[in-house]
Structures are given as C-alpha cells and as structure tokens.
Amino acid sequence: MSTCPMTIEEPQESFHIVFFPMMGHGHMIPMLDIAKLFATHQVKTTIITTPCNATTFTRPLGSYKNVGPPIDVEIIPFPSQEAGLPEGIENFEDVTSPEMVGKLWKATQMLEEALEKVLEKLNPNGLIADKLFPFSTRVASKFGIPRLIFQGTGYFSLSIIEALKQYEPHKKVSSDDEEFVIPNLPNEIKMTRLKLPEHIRESDKTSNDHGEFLKLTIQAEVDSMGIICDTFYELEHDYARHCRNVLGKKIFSFGPVSLCNRDKEAKFCRGKDSVIDEVECLKWLDSKKEGSVVYVSFGTLTIFSTIQICQIARALEASEQEFIWVVKKTKGEADEVDEQDWLPEGFEDRVKDKGLIIKGWAPQMLILDHKSIGGFLTHCGWNSILEATSFGVPMVTWPVFADHFYNEILVTEILKTGISVGAKKWSRVVDDSVKEENVTEAIRRVMVGDEALDIRERANKLKEMARNAVEGGSSYNELINLIQLLRDYRP
C-alpha cells in the first residue's frame, strides 16, 4: 500500500515552492521528505543548499521515483571565509569546538542576500524555510510570497516551550534539581532546571545577541503564514488542540513525512553514504528472530566521552540482548583516541555473534523497519522518535540536549512506549552520570517480560495510526489543505 497517495491533479509546474533547510542532517532530511510530498501533489519544488551539503539531497534524489514535477537543487555559496571557518565546514555535524559552532551559526545568518538572489531568479509561489532563518520571512515578504516556518519538533515540545516562556516556573524553585510543574498544559508535566536548555536555564545570563535572535524568530513567526511540524494529529491530539486553540498557533502537520520513502532503496539512501552495505545489513537482520534486536543510535550531533562509550558497551553486553550499535568517535578526541580504545578490551570478539557495530552513518529507517528490531536506544531527537513510532518500535530513552528531554516525557509518560535510562542533565557533551546498570535495566524492561509486551502493543497501535494518517487520513488531508491555501494565496 502506498504511503504517499497519488492525486488526480494534473501537473502545474508554474506553481512552485522553494525549501530552505538549516545545515544539519536532522533538518535537511525531513525537509527533503516534505519536498517529495509536495511533488507527489504536482507541485514544482526546489531545495536551496550549499556546496558541501548538496549530496544529502542529490544522492537520494538519484533513486527518487518521480510522480510529479522533478525536485531541483539550487546551490548557493557558503560564507566560510567571511565567518572565519575553514573551507568545507558547512554543516553542524562537522564542527569540532564550541568556537566553531559560533562561527558556523554566524555564517548561516549571512545567507539572506543569497536567498534573495534565488527567489528573484526562480520567482516561486512560496517559501518553506527553517525556523532558524528568521530573515527568510522578510525576504519572502519582499517578493510578495508566503513564508512557512519548518519547526523540527512536535506539538508537545512547542507547548512546553511556550509555557516556559510565558510562566517561567523554573525561576520559582530554589535548586536545579527541584521539580516544578509546567502550567497550563493538558497533563501535569514536571521537570527540573537541570533538564532545560542552557538558554532557558540561564536566561538571566543569556547574551544580548542570543536574546535579540529569539526576538527575531518570534516576530518572523508572527509575520509568517504559519508553522509546519513533522507530526500527526493522533499522536499528540491534546497538544495539537492546545497549540491551535489555546496558544493560537497557525500549525500544519502532515507527518510522519519519512513514510513517503516506501521502498528499500529510498530508505537506504536517506542522508549520507552508509558505511555498511544494504545487503550486508539486511542479511544480518534477517538472521535474527522477530523483535529480538536492540537498535542503538544517538543521532548526528550527540557527543559521547570515551568513558561513556565503554559504559554503553558494557551495558549492552550485560543486557544479553542482540543489538545493532551505531557508534562514532568523540568530537575533539577523534584524532587522539585510537579505534581500539573506543570499546572495552575484547568486547567486539565477545559479542561478534550477538552484535553488529556500525562505525559511522547507518541506514536508520531501513533498520527500524525490519521485523527483527524490538527496541531502540535513542537520544530522543524528534526525527528518531517519529521513525520509531512509524514502525512500532518501543524505545529506551536517553535525552541529551535540544528538545530531547521534552520528547522523552512524551514517550515515557504520555504515549507510554518507552523506558528512561534516567538522564538528569541537559548537556552538549554526555558525561558518565548515566550508569551502565540503569541502561541495562531499561533495555531489559523494553525487550523482555510482560511490561515489554504492553509497551510493544501500544507502539504497534501508534504505528497503525501513523500509516492511517498519511494514507488518506488526517495528515494527507492537512497537506492537501495547505497546498490549496498556497495556491489561493494573494498578497
């Protein structure tokens, strides 16, 4: 059954939408999927990116089966030199220091003129740009076209972010580890200051530049046509109503957008080149029993210390579960740590029959869709949460930074499709505060016993809801409605 239903519309290549994603794989990959969905409904689409990020789009498009107008990629120069960056550093995954993060961020905010030139050249009917490009609303207005904001999270996280901003409950507790209730939400949600992002936790110390940027993003949202969230109504229905009716947000949700990748080739080609061959990966998975394998991956930006990597290895071994583990060197230590020092001595030999270790990029969607996968140890990035949900995979949650701790609450307390390892502090670098015995216990609870069966049953129900949403249901209809609004737009 198709997860991207065809429409009966005739191609109208004069109707053209441009996409402008932030330079990070967690932003670029779902934006490509959204472009595919628009193309499915006979919309001409173009993606704007920079030279070193182009293959993230051109590679999967090489296997893309056109069902509408082709998807084009427009490459703009990246101001590396002007921002003080080495040539070739154009993606947040490639940075190796906080200083470099700042310079890359500066470079992304210098792309306004390049965006103007593309819009002048293409004369599109609309712009869908990342929330982190607030200047794009101004540029779209200059050309008399609507701008939609791509928000890389769901209704639940947006609701928490707005409540924290409005009520500041974190400022009413006396310590970082004292719990507080986040007001005015459909459920009683508790957090601690330790789990909040740095810019919220230390708002009084926030730089003037950061504060000014937040103001720009808020104004850009007000002036835009609305927000696009990669989620689906049934997953977060209480919070969808809260965002729209209580907060007054103009939000369009037609996810999970990843489900537009139907065949194995499309799933395998998402993102960067995989370091494992598709046939080899599937052969290993095919050799395992249904629901017996834990998939372990922490996204593209999570930074682990070598000590913590060794603890994860020991936890996996102690869990006695079969596993696929996507592991990478620690940024900053990458050139100093020998490969044999990543893992406990003899680990790979001891687990060679039970574990597959992938050192680099892995075809996550292809793996999660395999029947042998029974659990997913995840950092709780929103893309990973949605992909696991789309395939009915229970989760072991280990949030790190960004919106991860909000997403964990959704999974473990609202949806009840996962078990937490007990991470307590938002941090850009994972320390050794999560003990291996906690990871082992959480894995076992998700994989073995009656509790695991209950979690899996709930996860499978959400899987069916996700497919129904994109196959003629709520997400499909919302996409159709948005496209019609864009077609009808008059400045």
Side-chain angles (χ1 to χ4, degrees), residues 403-456:
D403 59 352
H404 301 172
F405 282 93
Y406 310 151
N407 296 336
E408 178 186 52
I409 295 172
L410 176 67
V411 169
T412 59
E413 297 182 23
I414 307 297
L415 304 176
K416 301 184 187 302
T417 55
I419 300 292
S420 173
V421 302
K424 297 185 183 304
K425 184 178 180 181
W426 192 104
S427 177
R428 295 187 183 278
V429 179
V430 182
D431 57 21
D432 60 353
S433 59
V434 175
K435 303 305 179 186
E436 59 190 79
E437 55 266 29
N438 296 341
V439 181
T440 299
E441 180 187 4
I443 291 172
R444 285 177 173 166
R445 286 177 64 187
V446 162
M447 297 295 290
V448 180
D450 292 340
E451 183 180 24
L453 292 175
D454 290 341
I455 291 172
R456 187 161 298 142

Short mmCIF file of all heavy atoms in Angstrom, two decimals, residues 403-456:
data_model
loop_
_atom_site.label_atom_id
_atom_site.label_comp_id
_atom_site.label_asym_id
_atom_site.label_seq_id
_atom_site.Cartn_x
_atom_site.Cartn_y
_atom_site.Cartn_z
N ASP A 403 15.62 19.57 22.28
CA ASP A 403 14.29 19.30 22.84
C ASP A 403 14.16 17.87 23.35
O ASP A 403 13.05 17.38 23.60
CB ASP A 403 13.22 19.56 21.77
CG ASP A 403 13.41 18.70 20.53
OD1 ASP A 403 14.45 18.02 20.42
OD2 ASP A 403 12.53 18.72 19.65
N HIS A 404 15.28 17.19 23.53
CA HIS A 404 15.26 15.76 23.84
C HIS A 404 14.50 15.44 25.12
O HIS A 404 13.75 14.44 25.18
CB HIS A 404 16.69 15.22 23.96
CG HIS A 404 17.52 15.39 22.75
ND1 HIS A 404 18.86 15.13 22.71
CD2 HIS A 404 17.21 15.82 21.49
CE1 HIS A 404 19.35 15.38 21.50
NE2 HIS A 404 18.35 15.80 20.75
N PHE A 405 14.69 16.24 26.18
CA PHE A 405 14.03 15.92 27.46
C PHE A 405 12.52 16.11 27.37
O PHE A 405 11.77 15.38 28.03
CB PHE A 405 14.63 16.77 28.59
CG PHE A 405 15.95 16.26 29.08
CD1 PHE A 405 17.14 16.74 28.55
CD2 PHE A 405 16.02 15.27 30.06
CE1 PHE A 405 18.36 16.26 28.99
CE2 PHE A 405 17.24 14.79 30.52
CZ PHE A 405 18.42 15.28 29.98
N TYR A 406 12.05 17.07 26.56
CA TYR A 406 10.61 17.21 26.34
C TYR A 406 10.08 15.97 25.62
O TYR A 406 9.03 15.43 25.97
CB TYR A 406 10.30 18.45 25.49
CG TYR A 406 10.93 19.74 25.93
CD1 TYR A 406 11.24 20.73 25.01
CD2 TYR A 406 11.22 19.99 27.28
CE1 TYR A 406 11.81 21.94 25.40
CE2 TYR A 406 11.79 21.19 27.67
CZ TYR A 406 12.09 22.16 26.72
OH TYR A 406 12.65 23.34 27.11
N ASN A 407 10.80 15.55 24.59
CA ASN A 407 10.37 14.39 23.80
C ASN A 407 10.33 13.12 24.65
O ASN A 407 9.47 12.26 24.46
CB ASN A 407 11.29 14.20 22.60
CG ASN A 407 11.24 15.35 21.63
OD1 ASN A 407 10.25 16.09 21.58
ND2 ASN A 407 12.29 15.54 20.86
N GLU A 408 11.28 13.01 25.57
CA GLU A 408 11.30 11.83 26.45
C GLU A 408 10.02 11.76 27.27
O GLU A 408 9.43 10.68 27.44
CB GLU A 408 12.51 11.87 27.39
CG GLU A 408 12.52 10.67 28.34
CD GLU A 408 13.61 10.72 29.38
OE1 GLU A 408 13.72 11.76 30.07
OE2 GLU A 408 14.35 9.73 29.52
N ILE A 409 9.57 12.90 27.79
CA ILE A 409 8.34 12.91 28.59
C ILE A 409 7.15 12.45 27.75
O ILE A 409 6.31 11.67 28.22
CB ILE A 409 8.08 14.32 29.17
CG1 ILE A 409 9.17 14.70 30.16
CG2 ILE A 409 6.71 14.38 29.84
CD1 ILE A 409 9.11 16.14 30.64
N LEU A 410 7.10 12.91 26.52
CA LEU A 410 6.02 12.47 25.62
C LEU A 410 6.03 10.95 25.47
O LEU A 410 4.98 10.29 25.58
CB LEU A 410 6.17 13.13 24.26
CG LEU A 410 5.16 12.69 23.19
CD1 LEU A 410 3.75 13.16 23.55
CD2 LEU A 410 5.55 13.23 21.81
N VAL A 411 7.20 10.38 25.24
CA VAL A 411 7.32 8.93 25.00
C VAL A 411 7.03 8.13 26.26
O VAL A 411 6.28 7.15 26.23
CB VAL A 411 8.73 8.60 24.45
CG1 VAL A 411 8.97 7.09 24.44
CG2 VAL A 411 8.90 9.16 23.05
N THR A 412 7.62 8.52 27.39
CA THR A 412 7.56 7.68 28.59
C THR A 412 6.32 7.92 29.44
O THR A 412 5.82 7.00 30.08
CB THR A 412 8.82 7.88 29.46
OG1 THR A 412 8.92 9.26 29.84
CG2 THR A 412 10.07 7.46 28.70
N GLU A 413 5.77 9.17 29.43
CA GLU A 413 4.66 9.49 30.32
C GLU A 413 3.32 9.63 29.61
O GLU A 413 2.28 9.30 30.18
CB GLU A 413 4.96 10.79 31.08
CG GLU A 413 6.18 10.69 31.99
CD GLU A 413 6.43 11.97 32.77
OE1 GLU A 413 5.48 12.76 32.96
OE2 GLU A 413 7.58 12.18 33.20
N ILE A 414 3.34 10.13 28.37
CA ILE A 414 2.08 10.35 27.65
C ILE A 414 1.74 9.15 26.77
O ILE A 414 0.68 8.55 26.89
CB ILE A 414 2.13 11.63 26.80
CG1 ILE A 414 2.57 12.84 27.65
CG2 ILE A 414 0.78 11.89 26.13
CD1 ILE A 414 1.63 13.19 28.77
N LEU A 415 2.66 8.79 25.88
CA LEU A 415 2.43 7.66 24.97
C LEU A 415 2.69 6.32 25.63
O LEU A 415 2.12 5.30 25.22
CB LEU A 415 3.32 7.81 23.73
CG LEU A 415 3.17 9.12 22.95
CD1 LEU A 415 4.17 9.16 21.79
CD2 LEU A 415 1.75 9.28 22.41
N LYS A 416 3.59 6.31 26.62
CA LYS A 416 3.97 5.10 27.35
C LYS A 416 4.51 4.01 26.40
O LYS A 416 4.14 2.84 26.49
CB LYS A 416 2.81 4.56 28.18
CG LYS A 416 2.28 5.55 29.21
CD LYS A 416 1.20 4.94 30.08
CE LYS A 416 0.55 5.97 31.00
NZ LYS A 416 1.50 6.64 31.89
N THR A 417 5.39 4.44 25.50
CA THR A 417 6.02 3.50 24.57
C THR A 417 7.52 3.41 24.78
O THR A 417 8.25 2.97 23.90
CB THR A 417 5.74 3.91 23.11
OG1 THR A 417 6.17 5.27 22.90
CG2 THR A 417 4.28 3.78 22.76
N GLY A 418 7.98 3.82 25.96
CA GLY A 418 9.42 3.75 26.22
C GLY A 418 9.74 3.79 27.70
O GLY A 418 8.91 4.12 28.54
N ILE A 419 10.99 3.44 27.99
CA ILE A 419 11.52 3.43 29.36
C ILE A 419 12.78 4.30 29.40
O ILE A 419 13.64 4.19 28.53
CB ILE A 419 11.88 2.00 29.83
CG1 ILE A 419 10.64 1.10 29.80
CG2 ILE A 419 12.53 2.02 31.20
CD1 ILE A 419 9.59 1.46 30.81
N SER A 420 12.89 5.14 30.41
CA SER A 420 14.02 6.05 30.54
C SER A 420 15.23 5.39 31.20
O SER A 420 15.06 4.55 32.09
CB SER A 420 13.61 7.27 31.36
OG SER A 420 14.72 8.10 31.64
N VAL A 421 16.43 5.80 30.79
CA VAL A 421 17.65 5.34 31.47
C VAL A 421 17.96 6.23 32.67
O VAL A 421 18.87 5.94 33.44
CB VAL A 421 18.87 5.32 30.52
CG1 VAL A 421 18.63 4.42 29.33
CG2 VAL A 421 19.26 6.74 30.07
N GLY A 422 17.22 7.34 32.80
CA GLY A 422 17.40 8.20 33.97
C GLY A 422 18.35 9.36 33.78
O GLY A 422 18.90 9.87 34.77
N ALA A 423 18.55 9.82 32.55
CA ALA A 423 19.38 11.01 32.33
C ALA A 423 18.75 12.20 33.03
O ALA A 423 17.54 12.39 32.98
CB ALA A 423 19.52 11.29 30.83
N LYS A 424 19.57 13.02 33.69
CA LYS A 424 19.04 14.09 34.53
C LYS A 424 19.49 15.48 34.13
O LYS A 424 18.95 16.47 34.63
CB LYS A 424 19.44 13.85 35.99
CG LYS A 424 18.87 12.58 36.58
CD LYS A 424 19.18 12.45 38.04
CE LYS A 424 18.68 11.13 38.62
NZ LYS A 424 17.24 10.93 38.43
N LYS A 425 20.47 15.59 33.21
CA LYS A 425 21.01 16.93 32.93
C LYS A 425 21.17 17.18 31.44
O LYS A 425 21.77 16.38 30.73
CB LYS A 425 22.37 17.10 33.63
CG LYS A 425 22.95 18.49 33.45
CD LYS A 425 24.26 18.65 34.20
CE LYS A 425 24.84 20.06 34.01
NZ LYS A 425 26.12 20.23 34.72
N TRP A 426 20.63 18.31 30.98
CA TRP A 426 20.81 18.80 29.61
C TRP A 426 22.28 19.19 29.45
O TRP A 426 22.82 19.97 30.22
CB TRP A 426 19.91 20.00 29.42
CG TRP A 426 19.71 20.50 28.02
CD1 TRP A 426 18.61 20.31 27.24
CD2 TRP A 426 20.58 21.34 27.24
NE1 TRP A 426 18.74 20.95 26.03
CE2 TRP A 426 19.94 21.60 26.00
CE3 TRP A 426 21.83 21.89 27.47
CZ2 TRP A 426 20.52 22.37 25.00
CZ3 TRP A 426 22.42 22.66 26.48
CH2 TRP A 426 21.77 22.90 25.26
N SER A 427 22.93 18.64 28.43
CA SER A 427 24.34 18.96 28.22
C SER A 427 24.71 18.64 26.78
O SER A 427 24.21 17.67 26.20
CB SER A 427 25.23 18.14 29.16
OG SER A 427 26.59 18.38 28.90
N ARG A 428 25.59 19.45 26.21
CA ARG A 428 26.01 19.21 24.83
C ARG A 428 27.01 18.06 24.73
O ARG A 428 27.23 17.52 23.65
CB ARG A 428 26.61 20.48 24.24
CG ARG A 428 25.59 21.60 24.11
CD ARG A 428 26.12 22.81 23.37
NE ARG A 428 25.15 23.86 23.34
CZ ARG A 428 24.13 23.94 22.47
NH1 ARG A 428 23.98 22.99 21.57
NH2 ARG A 428 23.28 24.94 22.51
N VAL A 429 27.63 17.70 25.86
CA VAL A 429 28.56 16.57 25.90
C VAL A 429 28.09 15.60 26.97
O VAL A 429 27.88 15.99 28.12
CB VAL A 429 30.00 17.02 26.21
CG1 VAL A 429 30.94 15.83 26.26
CG2 VAL A 429 30.48 18.04 25.17
N VAL A 430 27.88 14.34 26.60
CA VAL A 430 27.38 13.34 27.55
C VAL A 430 28.50 12.91 28.48
O VAL A 430 29.55 12.45 28.03
CB VAL A 430 26.81 12.12 26.80
CG1 VAL A 430 26.25 11.11 27.80
CG2 VAL A 430 25.74 12.55 25.83
N ASP A 431 28.28 13.08 29.79
CA ASP A 431 29.29 12.63 30.75
C ASP A 431 28.94 11.22 31.23
O ASP A 431 28.16 10.52 30.59
CB ASP A 431 29.39 13.61 31.92
CG ASP A 431 28.05 13.81 32.64
OD1 ASP A 431 27.18 12.92 32.51
OD2 ASP A 431 27.88 14.84 33.30
N ASP A 432 29.49 10.81 32.37
CA ASP A 432 29.26 9.44 32.85
C ASP A 432 28.20 9.39 33.96
O ASP A 432 28.21 8.48 34.78
CB ASP A 432 30.57 8.81 33.33
CG ASP A 432 31.20 9.60 34.47
OD1 ASP A 432 30.69 10.69 34.80
OD2 ASP A 432 32.21 9.14 35.02
N SER A 433 27.26 10.35 33.96
CA SER A 433 26.26 10.39 35.02
C SER A 433 25.20 9.30 34.89
O SER A 433 24.57 8.93 35.87
CB SER A 433 25.58 11.77 35.06
OG SER A 433 24.96 12.05 33.83
N VAL A 434 25.00 8.79 33.69
CA VAL A 434 24.08 7.65 33.50
C VAL A 434 24.88 6.36 33.65
O VAL A 434 25.82 6.12 32.89
CB VAL A 434 23.40 7.70 32.11
CG1 VAL A 434 22.55 6.45 31.90
CG2 VAL A 434 22.54 8.96 31.99
N LYS A 435 24.52 5.58 34.64
CA LYS A 435 25.30 4.38 34.95
C LYS A 435 24.88 3.21 34.07
O LYS A 435 23.72 3.08 33.68
CB LYS A 435 25.13 4.00 36.43
CG LYS A 435 25.54 5.13 37.37
CD LYS A 435 26.96 5.61 37.12
CE LYS A 435 27.35 6.74 38.06
NZ LYS A 435 28.68 7.31 37.72
N GLU A 436 25.84 2.33 33.80
CA GLU A 436 25.58 1.22 32.88
C GLU A 436 24.48 0.30 33.38
O GLU A 436 23.70 -0.24 32.58
CB GLU A 436 26.87 0.43 32.63
CG GLU A 436 27.50 -0.17 33.87
CD GLU A 436 28.89 -0.72 33.60
OE1 GLU A 436 29.84 0.07 33.52
OE2 GLU A 436 28.99 -1.95 33.45
N GLU A 437 24.36 0.13 34.71
CA GLU A 437 23.31 -0.75 35.22
C GLU A 437 21.92 -0.19 34.93
O GLU A 437 20.96 -0.96 34.73
CB GLU A 437 23.48 -1.00 36.73
CG GLU A 437 23.56 0.24 37.58
CD GLU A 437 25.00 0.71 37.85
OE1 GLU A 437 25.87 0.46 37.00
OE2 GLU A 437 25.21 1.32 38.91
N ASN A 438 21.79 1.15 34.89
CA ASN A 438 20.50 1.76 34.55
C ASN A 438 20.15 1.52 33.09
O ASN A 438 18.98 1.31 32.74
CB ASN A 438 20.54 3.25 34.83
CG ASN A 438 20.73 3.57 36.31
OD1 ASN A 438 20.49 2.73 37.17
ND2 ASN A 438 21.15 4.78 36.61
N VAL A 439 21.17 1.58 32.22
CA VAL A 439 20.95 1.32 30.80
C VAL A 439 20.56 -0.13 30.59
O VAL A 439 19.63 -0.45 29.85
CB VAL A 439 22.21 1.68 29.98
CG1 VAL A 439 21.97 1.44 28.49
CG2 VAL A 439 22.61 3.13 30.22
N THR A 440 21.27 -1.02 31.25
CA THR A 440 20.97 -2.46 31.15
C THR A 440 19.53 -2.76 31.58
O THR A 440 18.80 -3.47 30.89
CB THR A 440 21.95 -3.27 32.03
OG1 THR A 440 23.28 -3.04 31.57
CG2 THR A 440 21.64 -4.76 31.95
N GLU A 441 19.14 -2.19 32.71
CA GLU A 441 17.78 -2.44 33.23
C GLU A 441 16.72 -1.92 32.26
O GLU A 441 15.72 -2.60 32.00
CB GLU A 441 17.60 -1.77 34.59
CG GLU A 441 16.22 -1.99 35.19
CD GLU A 441 15.98 -1.18 36.45
OE1 GLU A 441 16.85 -0.39 36.83
OE2 GLU A 441 14.89 -1.35 37.05
N ALA A 442 16.93 -0.71 31.73
CA ALA A 442 15.94 -0.12 30.81
C ALA A 442 15.81 -0.96 29.55
O ALA A 442 14.69 -1.18 29.04
CB ALA A 442 16.34 1.30 30.47
N ILE A 443 16.93 -1.45 29.02
CA ILE A 443 16.89 -2.30 27.82
C ILE A 443 16.10 -3.58 28.10
O ILE A 443 15.24 -3.98 27.31
CB ILE A 443 18.32 -2.64 27.35
CG1 ILE A 443 19.01 -1.39 26.79
CG2 ILE A 443 18.29 -3.74 26.28
CD1 ILE A 443 20.48 -1.59 26.47
N ARG A 444 16.36 -4.21 29.22
CA ARG A 444 15.66 -5.45 29.55
C ARG A 444 14.16 -5.21 29.72
O ARG A 444 13.33 -6.03 29.29
CB ARG A 444 16.25 -6.04 30.83
CG ARG A 444 17.61 -6.71 30.62
CD ARG A 444 18.17 -7.20 31.93
NE ARG A 444 19.40 -7.98 31.74
CZ ARG A 444 20.24 -8.31 32.71
NH1 ARG A 444 19.98 -7.91 33.95
NH2 ARG A 444 21.32 -9.01 32.46
N ARG A 445 13.79 -4.09 30.34
CA ARG A 445 12.37 -3.80 30.56
C ARG A 445 11.63 -3.60 29.23
O ARG A 445 10.45 -3.96 29.12
CB ARG A 445 12.23 -2.54 31.43
CG ARG A 445 12.57 -2.77 32.88
CD ARG A 445 12.47 -1.46 33.66
NE ARG A 445 11.11 -0.92 33.68
CZ ARG A 445 10.79 0.28 34.18
NH1 ARG A 445 11.74 1.05 34.70
NH2 ARG A 445 9.54 0.68 34.16
N VAL A 446 12.31 -3.05 28.25
CA VAL A 446 11.68 -2.84 26.94
C VAL A 446 11.66 -4.11 26.10
O VAL A 446 10.76 -4.29 25.27
CB VAL A 446 12.42 -1.70 26.19
CG1 VAL A 446 12.12 -1.72 24.71
CG2 VAL A 446 12.02 -0.34 26.77
N MET A 447 12.60 -5.01 26.33
CA MET A 447 12.75 -6.18 25.47
C MET A 447 12.16 -7.46 26.03
O MET A 447 11.79 -8.35 25.27
CB MET A 447 14.24 -6.41 25.17
CG MET A 447 14.92 -5.29 24.41
SD MET A 447 14.27 -5.06 22.74
CE MET A 447 14.88 -6.57 21.94
N VAL A 448 12.05 -7.58 27.35
CA VAL A 448 11.70 -8.88 27.96
C VAL A 448 10.61 -8.71 29.01
O VAL A 448 10.65 -7.77 29.82
CB VAL A 448 12.95 -9.52 28.63
CG1 VAL A 448 12.57 -10.86 29.25
CG2 VAL A 448 14.06 -9.70 27.62
N GLY A 449 9.61 -9.60 29.01
CA GLY A 449 8.62 -9.64 30.07
C GLY A 449 7.29 -9.01 29.70
O GLY A 449 7.08 -8.51 28.60
N ASP A 450 6.36 -9.04 30.66
CA ASP A 450 5.00 -8.55 30.43
C ASP A 450 4.97 -7.05 30.15
O ASP A 450 4.18 -6.58 29.32
CB ASP A 450 4.11 -8.87 31.64
CG ASP A 450 3.86 -10.36 31.80
OD1 ASP A 450 4.03 -11.10 30.81
OD2 ASP A 450 3.50 -10.79 32.92
N GLU A 451 5.80 -6.30 30.87
CA GLU A 451 5.84 -4.85 30.64
C GLU A 451 6.24 -4.57 29.20
O GLU A 451 5.67 -3.68 28.54
CB GLU A 451 6.83 -4.19 31.60
CG GLU A 451 6.88 -2.67 31.45
CD GLU A 451 7.87 -2.02 32.40
OE1 GLU A 451 8.83 -2.70 32.83
OE2 GLU A 451 7.70 -0.82 32.71
N ALA A 452 7.21 -5.31 28.69
CA ALA A 452 7.67 -5.14 27.30
C ALA A 452 6.52 -5.43 26.32
O ALA A 452 6.38 -4.73 25.31
CB ALA A 452 8.86 -6.05 27.02
N LEU A 453 5.73 -6.45 26.60
CA LEU A 453 4.61 -6.78 25.73
C LEU A 453 3.59 -5.65 25.69
O LEU A 453 3.05 -5.31 24.63
CB LEU A 453 3.94 -8.07 26.19
CG LEU A 453 4.77 -9.35 26.02
CD1 LEU A 453 4.04 -10.54 26.65
CD2 LEU A 453 5.06 -9.63 24.55
N ASP A 454 3.33 -5.04 26.85
CA ASP A 454 2.38 -3.92 26.91
C ASP A 454 2.89 -2.72 26.12
O ASP A 454 2.13 -2.08 25.38
CB ASP A 454 2.14 -3.51 28.36
CG ASP A 454 1.35 -4.55 29.15
OD1 ASP A 454 0.69 -5.39 28.50
OD2 ASP A 454 1.42 -4.53 30.39
N ILE A 455 4.18 -2.44 26.28
CA ILE A 455 4.78 -1.31 25.55
C ILE A 455 4.72 -1.56 24.05
O ILE A 455 4.37 -0.67 23.27
CB ILE A 455 6.25 -1.11 26.00
CG1 ILE A 455 6.29 -0.61 27.46
CG2 ILE A 455 6.97 -0.13 25.08
CD1 ILE A 455 7.69 -0.56 28.04
N ARG A 456 5.02 -2.80 23.65
CA ARG A 456 5.02 -3.13 22.22
C ARG A 456 3.60 -3.03 21.63
O ARG A 456 3.42 -2.58 20.49
CB ARG A 456 5.60 -4.52 22.02
CG ARG A 456 5.81 -4.91 20.55
CD ARG A 456 6.79 -6.05 20.42
NE ARG A 456 8.09 -5.65 20.94
CZ ARG A 456 8.90 -6.45 21.64
NH1 ARG A 456 8.55 -7.69 21.89
NH2 ARG A 456 10.07 -6.01 22.07
#
